[in-house]
Structure formats: C-alpha cells, structure tokens
Amino acid sequence: MSANETLRAVCDAGLFDLDGVLTPTATVHMLAWSRMFNAYLADRAARTGADASTRPYTDEDYFAHVDGKPRYDGVRDFLASRGIAIPDGDPADPPEADTVCGLGNRKNTFFARVLTEDGVAPYPGSVLLLDHLATLGVPLAVVSSSQNAEAVLAAAGLRERFALVVDGRVAHARGLAGKPSPATYAWAAETLGVPPERAVVFEDAVSGVAAGRAGGFGLVVGVDRGVGAEELRAHGADLVVSDLSELLP
C-alpha cells in the first residue's frame, strides 16, 4: 500500500502540529531559545562562577529537552539537565524574572520580534497536502504547544484552512496536559467529531509522535526535519517522510 493509500484508509480528520510541520518556525524558535538560554547562562556564570551547568546551550539541547513541549516545561527540563533549580514563578511573571515562567516569557519576546520583522512562509509541500485534503472534505486542526499558533498561522496565510486551533492557550484554559500526553490531540479529534482511530497525526517532534502513539490514533506521520527517521519511529511514528508532499497521490 502506498503512503497516500495508507493515509486515505484512516483519514477522517487531519491533526497537524505547526512548527516544523506546516511552517519552518522551528528555526525561529531555536534561535530565540538559544539567545535566551545562552544570555541567561552567561549571566548566571558571572554571578555564581562558571561550572558544568553553564556550558553553552546548543541545538542538541533543543531537540533533547525543548522541542515540541509547552514552553515552561521546556525551560524546566533544560535547566534540570544542567542541575539548575529556580522557582517556577507564575505565567504573569515579566520576562526579566529569573523564574521558569519568566525565562519562558523572555524567550517569547525574542520569537515575537523575529516573527514580526521577518514573517514566515509555509512549507510548499505542506500547502499541497492541505489543498489535497481540502478537496476530500477532510476537517483539519492545528494542535500545537506554542502560544503563538494563531499569530504564526495568520502570518503564513493558513488560518482559514483549519476548523480548529488547539494551542498552548487553549490547553491551559481547558486543563489539557501538553505533549507527550495525547490530551490535546484527543480533545481536537473529539471536537471535530472524529474518533482517534480515524484521525491522522502529523508531527516532527519526538514528544508529538509519542503523543500520537499514546492516543491510539489511526496513523502517526513523522516529518523528519532534523530529529531523524529512526528516532521518530522509535517514539511512535508509523510512517516517516521528509516532506508532506510525499503523501500526495
């Protein structure tokens, strides 16, 4: 069975991660995380003395600790990997606060600035698949940990294609656990009126494909934008492509 036939066999709804699946905003996020964490680590080293916990943040740290997770969870997990413990604080903390929430909000200021200045264009292959699914009448949702999903979709000219957007703000308001929990994907499928086994998850992050597998979805498509096909399969992807256009008939 071809990749497209496999997709058609179970696709009564398409549930798409945003960053790295529909838009290349992962690179913007990576830059924002890098600038924020490295500035924080440098300041910490100046205040407390350099040690192993203040070695520079790298792209490997992004993929291991941050990618696909809710923002504050990413901050907390990265700091834990360096043996750094700071107060959680509150989501209302200002970006200057040295708390988990403050650092998360600090990162978001970098991201918003780059998005405003440079904009973002969707992956052409992803747009082609969205076009194809639209001709089939398949309802579509975006399921993203980002709190910037609405702004990114609008900047990319994609918002009107989706019946539903489940982002970090919606998850917080409804008390839905973030990926790798399947809660946000499950709520999206339920809201679209489609059982999980008849919905397809499209993800580029390890935590996202793990969420798809844990939720019992009909098909979990891993999009390899750098994590690696074997890693995506190991965490739950049924099928791995390098571009969503590979799923077209």
Side-chain angles (χ1 to χ4, degrees), residues 205-245:
V206 164
S207 59
V209 295
R213 173 57 53 235
F217 291 90
L219 184 69
V220 180
V221 178
V223 187
D224 183 12
R225 306 290 192 190
V227 174
E230 290 186 7
E231 191 75 359
L232 291 169
R233 289 192 185 95
H235 285 84
D238 300 302
L239 177 67
V240 177
V241 297
S242 59
D243 189 87
L244 290 182
S245 62

Side-chain angles (χ1 to χ4, degrees), residues 24-36 106-121 148 151-152 155:
T25 38
T27 57
V28 181
H29 282 293
M30 290 175 73
L31 179 60
W33 281 115
S34 178
R35 288 180 177 176
M36 186 279 291
R106 193 179 308 176
K107 175 265 174 181
N108 207 38
T109 62
F110 285 109
F111 179 84
R113 186 179 307 138
V114 175
L115 183 65
T116 299
E117 293 173 353
D118 299 342
V120 63
N148 302 296
V152 171

Side-chain angles (χ1 to χ4, degrees), residues 12-242:
D12 287 346
L15 311 178
F16 291 81
D17 181 42
L18 177 59
D19 302 331
V21 173
L22 298 174
T23 59
T25 38
T27 57
V28 181
H29 282 293
M30 290 175 73
L31 179 60
W33 281 115
S34 178
R35 288 180 177 176
M36 186 279 291
F37 274 133
N38 279 318
Y40 169 75
L41 292 173
D43 177 69
R44 185 176 185 278
R47 289 185 287 106
T48 65
D51 57 30
S53 67
T54 59
R55 66 186 184 277
Y57 170 93
T58 67
D59 288 350
E60 286 73 21
D61 290 309
Y62 174 80
F63 288 117
H65 306 296
V66 175
D67 187 24
K69 298 177 182 177
R71 190 170 2 129
Y72 302 137
D73 289 348
V75 173
R76 193 179 297 107
D77 290 352
F78 167 71
L79 294 180
S81 76
R82 300 298 175 88
I84 300 173
I86 60 176
D88 267 12
D90 183 89
D93 284 354
E96 298 79 17
D98 279 348
T99 63
V100 167
C101 292
L103 291 182
N105 296 342
R106 193 179 308 176
K107 175 265 174 181
N108 207 38
T109 62
F110 285 109
F111 179 84
R113 186 179 307 138
V114 175
L115 183 65
T116 299
E117 293 173 353
D118 299 342
V120 63
Y123 291 107
S126 298
V127 174
L128 291 174
L129 181 63
L130 294 178
D131 289 342
H132 175 61
L133 293 176
T135 66
L136 301 176
V138 175
L140 307 176
V142 165
V143 181
S144 171
S145 298
S146 173
Q147 297 197 15
N148 302 296
E150 292 279 4
V152 171
L153 287 167
L158 296 177
R159 179 60 185 89
E160 70 281 359
R161 293 173 177 267
F162 295 93
L164 177 68
V165 175
V166 184
D167 62 7
R169 298 176 193 275
V170 172
H172 177 74
R174 296 192 169 273
L176 302 172
K179 305 168 188 177
S181 165
T184 50
Y185 276 119
W187 189 80
E190 180 182 358
T191 303
L192 292 178
V194 176
E197 63 270 18
R198 298 296 308 169
V200 178
V201 168
F202 300 88
E203 266 285 356
D204 73 314
V206 164
S207 59
V209 295
R213 173 57 53 235
F217 291 90
L219 184 69
V220 180
V221 178
V223 187
D224 183 12
R225 306 290 192 190
V227 174
E230 290 186 7
E231 191 75 359
L232 291 169
R233 289 192 185 95
H235 285 84
D238 300 302
L239 177 67
V240 177
V241 297
S242 59

